[in-house]
């Protein structure tokens, strides 16, 4: 049976099997069995439903001469979606993005444009692509643009009807990329800007820096950063009710050229790195440098098929009530082999902490011909642990701030930024695998189903303008639907969620669109509604309609939902 059944397993199959009385476990077994049997067959999720472009459910923002809507910032407090475009920042209504509240144009200056022409740059390159938008407070934003290869940042003041720049443009190397096509990451926390990008025009000085207040940066060493392509940065507030008196940490995600593997071709690896918020650098060694920079390899693979998803495309941090349950979701592709497969892997805080706070370090060993090999460091590790934040243990030695740390700890931290232990994904397997789509952006929302269980719903944008809604239930992956976002194919360049509004926002080269997290009413029958296995939707017997669960009040008894099994046995039989 298996060979005939072929590669593509509809992910909603389990629902049908359940209908016919076969157990879901059998399907799962088949699914894995198939994979192992046929080398060429690749686990793949087919969306249960494909919705072609229809403007009824999608709101669009487009404006004459405006393009490259690459940066989005959701502000739920003021009900505003801020959009960074080419030469402009827009403030749109979060409820309906076709309504523009205010806009600011910010062109690169004449002499910058002249300079660009002298450097032989063409049109489309001497513009100011707005790439960073950060909230300082409800009235002030920090904004950065490429400014014709001369990155500049400024403060923007906004009230509900007017927006303007303060004109305090400052030189902003290492905060914002020089070119709009380069990958970067940034974060603004407590008045400090954390940014990961290139520090120079040529791109030979990659940097993770902190600016605006306590300036700090990475060392310019290939052991720290080796031709990185930055993807994401986020904070985990680990200081909150922490028994060890530990600090908050910034996690940085990127792909870089590996120093630890020896292949003929330059192998790329995905990394998770972190620094501590309270880091102030060292006194003599690592002066004005991070003393807490540590990185590890982020693994996403299917060992059975020898798939190594080594190129990271995007990362989303699923925040939870307690930081311990925080989960990072990453989208990956491969450098070699099957380039048509995208995967999603999830990483728990527990694993990440284990690696950084208990793992072994890697160290350089010089071989013949002064060739350097990175191997697990077997020597003595100084105490307190190099690269650790200042915590109660460090304080017990009298080290209250990083400036107090002795030279030997700082030296070790400087020379051993890479962990030997790797960060493996939850379940040691991807949570989603998709063939034939190139995933570009992800957001995840946790939704509690009628069964009182939490489901992490993944919304993923593709490079041809689709939005996938996927889940992983106890190892079974499925895609509820794929939805076409634009009339003609364009890449999803930015994806943001407003949980409060139940809306997703998508930026692309030519437009911004808004789409609801769920469109339950598209399911017209009980069977359809329940088989969709959409955690946002349930069949209401009272109103004989597929309804959004969140909007229901009172009697939940009358609702039918079966996310895990797609069990339609409670549905009224057809024809009644
Ligand atoms: C917002 O931030 C700006 C810039 O730091 C500051 O001048 C202003 O007073 C702040 N406003 C409020 C309401 O906190
Ligand atoms: C917003 O700011 C503009 C210019 O500073 C001012 O004219 C306008 O009255 C302000 N609007 C509100 C609602 O505060
Ligand atoms: C660290 O703090 C403790 C308690 O506040 C203090 O006694 C000690 O002198 C401080 N150490 C340094 C090096 O400043
Ligand atoms: C995905 O990317 C590959 C390589 O860049 C390209 O050949 C392919 O056409 C893309 N697929 C889709 C569906 O856009
Ligand atoms: C900007 O948008 C235009 C079309 O809207 C696209 O052709 C161009 O590649 C974009 N530029 C960048 C740097 O993304």
């Amino acid at each position: 049976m298996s060979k005939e059944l072929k590669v593509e397993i509809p992910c909603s199959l389990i629902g049908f099997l359940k209908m016919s009385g076969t157990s879901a476990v059998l399907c799962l077994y088949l699914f894995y069995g198939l994979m192992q049997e046929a080398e060429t067959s690749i686990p793949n999720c087919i969306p249960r439903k494909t919705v072609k472009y229809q403007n009824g459910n999608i709101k669009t923002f487009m404006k004459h001469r405006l393009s490259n809507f690459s940066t989005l910032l959701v502000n739920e407090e003021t009900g505003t979606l801020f959009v960074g475009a080419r030469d402009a920042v827009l403030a749109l209504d979060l409820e309906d993005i076709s309504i523009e509240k205010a806009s600011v144009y910010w062109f690169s200056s004449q002499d910058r444009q002249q300079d660009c022409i002298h450097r032989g740059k063409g049109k489309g390159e001497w513009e100011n692509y707005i790439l960073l938008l950060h909230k300082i407070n409800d009235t002030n934003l920090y904004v950065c643009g490429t400014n014709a290869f001369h990155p500049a940042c400024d403060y923007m003041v906004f009230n509900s009807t007017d927006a303007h720049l303060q004109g305090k443009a400052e030189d902003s190397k290492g905060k914002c990329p020089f070119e709009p096509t380069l990958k970067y990451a940034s974060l603004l926390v407590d008045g400090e800007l954390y940014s990961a990008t290139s520090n120079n025009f040529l791109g030979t000085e990659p940097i993770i820096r902190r600016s605006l207040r306590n300036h700090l940066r990475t060392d310019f060493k290939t052991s720290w950063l080796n031709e990185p392509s930055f993807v994401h940065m986020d904070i985990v507030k680990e200081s909150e009710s922490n028994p060890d008196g530990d600090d908050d940490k910034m996690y940085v995600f990127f792909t870089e050229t590996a120093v630890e593997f020896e292949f003929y071709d330059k192998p790329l690896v995905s990394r998770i790195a972190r620094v501590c918020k309270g880091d102030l650098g060292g006194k003599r060694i690592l002066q004005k440098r991070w003393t807490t920079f540590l990185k590890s390899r982020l693994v996403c693979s299917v060992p059975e098929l020898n798939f190594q998803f080594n190129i990271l495309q995007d990362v989303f941090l699923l925040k939870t009530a307690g930081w311990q349950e925080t989960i990072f979701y990453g989208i990956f592709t491969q450098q070699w082999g099957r380039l048509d497969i995208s995967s999603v892997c999830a990483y728990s805080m527990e694993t990440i902490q284990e690696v950084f706070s208990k793992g072994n370090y890697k160290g350089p060993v010089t071989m013949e011909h002064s060739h350097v090999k990175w191997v697990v460091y077997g020597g003595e590790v100084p105490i307190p642990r190099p690269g650790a934040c200042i915590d109660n243990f460090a304080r017990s030695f009298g080290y209250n701030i990083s400036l107090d740390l002795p030279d030997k700890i700082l030296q070790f931290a400087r020379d051993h930024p890479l962990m030997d232990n790797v960060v493996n994904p939850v379940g040691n397997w991807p949570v989603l695998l998709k063939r034939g789509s190139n995933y570009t952006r992800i957001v995840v929302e946790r939704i509690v189903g009628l069964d009182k269980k939490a489901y992490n719903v993944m919304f993923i944008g593709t490079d041809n303008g689709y939005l996938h809604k996927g889940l992983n239930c106890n190892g079974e992956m499925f895609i509820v639907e794929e939805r076409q976002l634009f009339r003609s194919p364009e890449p999803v360049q930015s994806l943001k969620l407003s949980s409060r509004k139940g809306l997703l926002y998508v930026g692309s080269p030519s437009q911004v669109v808004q789409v609801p997290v769920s469109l339950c009413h598209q399911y017209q029958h009980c069977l359809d509604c329940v088989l969709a296995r959409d955690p946002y939707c349930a069949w209401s017997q009272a109103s004989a309609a597929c309804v959004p669960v969140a909007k229901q009040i009172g009697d939940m008894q009358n609702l039918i939902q079966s996310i895990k099994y797609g069990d339609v046995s409670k549905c009224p039989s057809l024809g009644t």
Side-chain angles (χ1 to χ4, degrees), residues 230-273:
F230 295 106
V231 164
H232 186 76
M233 198 188 286
D234 231 314
I235 180 172
V236 179
K237 298 194 173 164
E238 295 173 44
S239 68
E240 279 173 12
S241 49
N242 193 307
D244 304 323
D246 204 350
D247 196 4
D248 294 344
K249 299 185 187 74
M250 311 295 158
Y251 288 91
V252 188
F253 295 84
F254 53 98
T255 305
E256 67 171 351
T257 305
V259 290
E260 69 266 41
F261 297 128
E262 304 186 48
F263 283 127
Y264 180 71
D265 285 321
K266 270 191 185 180
L268 298 177
V269 282
S270 288
R271 299 274 194 223
I272 173 172

Side-chain angles (χ1 to χ4, degrees), residues 208 234 238 246-254 271-277 279 290-296 349 352-353 355-358 361 385-389 417 419:
I208 300 173
D234 231 314
E238 295 173 44
D246 204 350
D247 196 4
D248 294 344
K249 299 185 187 74
M250 311 295 158
Y251 288 91
V252 188
F253 295 84
F254 53 98
R271 299 274 194 223
I272 173 172
R274 62 111 170 114
V275 291
C276 304
K277 184 160 170 259
D279 198 343
W290 299 106
T291 65
T292 54
F293 179 80
L294 289 178
K295 64 180 181 181
S296 164
M349 239 9 251
I352 293 167
Q353 275 203 319
V355 168
F356 286 122
S357 60
K358 302 208 181 91
Y361 299 83
R385 196 178 159 83
C389 304
M419 305 308 300

Side-chain angles (χ1 to χ4, degrees), residues 172-175 192-200 204-222 224-225 230 233 250 252 273-282 285-294 402 410 413-414 417:
S172 304
K173 277 194 317 182
K175 294 185 192 173
E192 299 194 291
L193 181 76
Y194 296 79
S195 54
T197 181
S198 172
N199 197 45
N200 64 353
T204 50
E205 280 181 7
I207 190 171
I208 300 173
R209 69 176 287 201
R210 183 172 67 199
S211 50
L212 299 182
R213 283 193 197 152
N214 292 306
H215 290 242
L216 222 54
R217 67 168 173 84
T218 40
D219 225 356
F220 293 134
K221 281 180 170 213
T222 52
W224 283 46
L225 295 168
F230 295 106
M233 198 188 286
M250 311 295 158
V252 188
R274 62 111 170 114
V275 291
C276 304
K277 184 160 170 259
D279 198 343
L280 294 170
I285 292 166
L286 291 179
Q287 219 179 61
K288 298 274 172 209
R289 306 286 187 273
W290 299 106
T291 65
T292 54
F293 179 80
L294 289 178
S402 62
L410 298 177
R414 183 192 60 198

Side-chain angles (χ1 to χ4, degrees), residues 339-340 436-438 463-464:
L339 305 184
D340 61 336
S437 298
N438 300 324
D463 73 340
N464 60 350

Side-chain angles (χ1 to χ4, degrees), residues 333 339-342 435-439 462-466 489:
T333 50
L339 305 184
D340 61 336
I341 301 175
S342 289
R435 210 175 71 198
S437 298
N438 300 324
Y439 284 169
T462 73
D463 73 340
N464 60 350
Y466 276 84

Side-chain angles (χ1 to χ4, degrees), residues 126-428:
W126 60 59
E127 274 92 359
N128 187 19
Y129 293 85
I130 307 300
L131 301 181
L132 266 68
L133 279 180
H134 292 291
K135 175 183 158 173
I136 295 174
N137 54 36
D138 281 346
T139 54
N140 282 63
L141 249 59
Y142 195 67
V143 183
C144 306
T146 56
N147 190 32
F149 297 97
H150 218 270
C153 298
D154 201 350
Y155 294 85
M156 189 179 105
V157 184
F158 171 75
N159 67 19
S160 52
T161 55
D162 175 80
H164 60 267
L165 291 169
Q166 294 217 304
K168 289 191 198 158
E170 38 190 51
D171 185 28
S172 304
K173 277 194 317 182
K175 294 185 192 173
C176 178
F178 284 73
E179 292 182 61
T181 49
L182 296 176
K183 294 201 124 193
Y184 63 97
S186 65
L187 185 67
L188 198 140
V189 178
D190 297 341
E192 299 194 291
L193 181 76
Y194 296 79
S195 54
T197 181
S198 172
N199 197 45
N200 64 353
F201 176 72
L202 293 173
T204 50
E205 280 181 7
I207 190 171
I208 300 173
R209 69 176 287 201
R210 183 172 67 199
S211 50
L212 299 182
R213 283 193 197 152
N214 292 306
H215 290 242
L216 222 54
R217 67 168 173 84
T218 40
D219 225 356
F220 293 134
K221 281 180 170 213
T222 52
S223 57
W224 283 46
L225 295 168
N226 194 15
E227 303 170 18
S229 170
F230 295 106
V231 164
H232 186 76
M233 198 188 286
D234 231 314
I235 180 172
V236 179
K237 298 194 173 164
E238 295 173 44
S239 68
E240 279 173 12
S241 49
N242 193 307
D244 304 323
D246 204 350
D247 196 4
D248 294 344
K249 299 185 187 74
M250 311 295 158
Y251 288 91
V252 188
F253 295 84
F254 53 98
T255 305
E256 67 171 351
T257 305
V259 290
E260 69 266 41
F261 297 128
E262 304 186 48
F263 283 127
Y264 180 71
D265 285 321
K266 270 191 185 180
L268 298 177
V269 282
S270 288
R271 299 274 194 223
I272 173 172
R274 62 111 170 114
V275 291
C276 304
K277 184 160 170 259
D279 198 343
L280 294 170
K283 201 170 232 157
R284 278 181 300 270
I285 292 166
L286 291 179
Q287 219 179 61
K288 298 274 172 209
R289 306 286 187 273
W290 299 106
T291 65
T292 54
F293 179 80
L294 289 178
K295 64 180 181 181
S296 164
R297 186 157 67 89
L298 199 59
V299 175
C300 184
S301 65
V302 179
E304 296 88 338
L305 294 170
N306 202 21
F307 286 171
Q308 302 292 334
F309 294 97
N310 56 339
I311 303 179
L312 195 54
Q313 301 291 347
D314 192 30
V315 167
F316 181 82
L317 171 67
L318 179 64
K319 293 198 169 90
T320 51
W323 60 264
Q324 291 88 345
E325 280 80 52
T326 295
I327 301 176
F328 284 103
Y329 280 82
I331 301 177
F332 295 81
T333 50
Q334 299 189 82
Q335 182 181 9
W336 298 298
R338 297 296 300 253
L339 305 184
D340 61 336
I341 301 175
S342 289
S343 71
V344 184
C345 277
Y347 303 89
S348 72
M349 239 9 251
E350 198 187 341
T351 308
I352 293 167
Q353 275 203 319
E354 184 84 18
V355 168
F356 286 122
S357 60
K358 302 208 181 91
N360 294 317
Y361 299 83
K362 264 200 199 312
V365 176
T366 308
M367 315 290 283
E368 296 162 30
H369 314 298
S370 59
H371 169 72
V372 174
K373 201 175 161 143
W374 285 77
V375 297
V376 58
Y377 175 80
E380 201 181 324
V381 176
I383 297 172
R385 196 178 159 83
C389 304
I390 298 293
D391 58 5
N392 294 342
F393 184 64
R395 284 181 207 106
S396 73
F397 287 78
Y399 307 140
N400 299 339
I401 50 175
S402 62
L403 289 162
D404 299 336
L405 290 169
D407 289 354
K408 68 168 196 260
I409 305 243
L410 298 177
Q411 246 156 17
F412 191 97
R414 183 192 60 198
D415 299 336
H416 302 86
L418 178 60
M419 305 308 300
D420 185 59
N421 297 57
V422 300
V423 174
N424 282 308
V426 174
N428 289 312

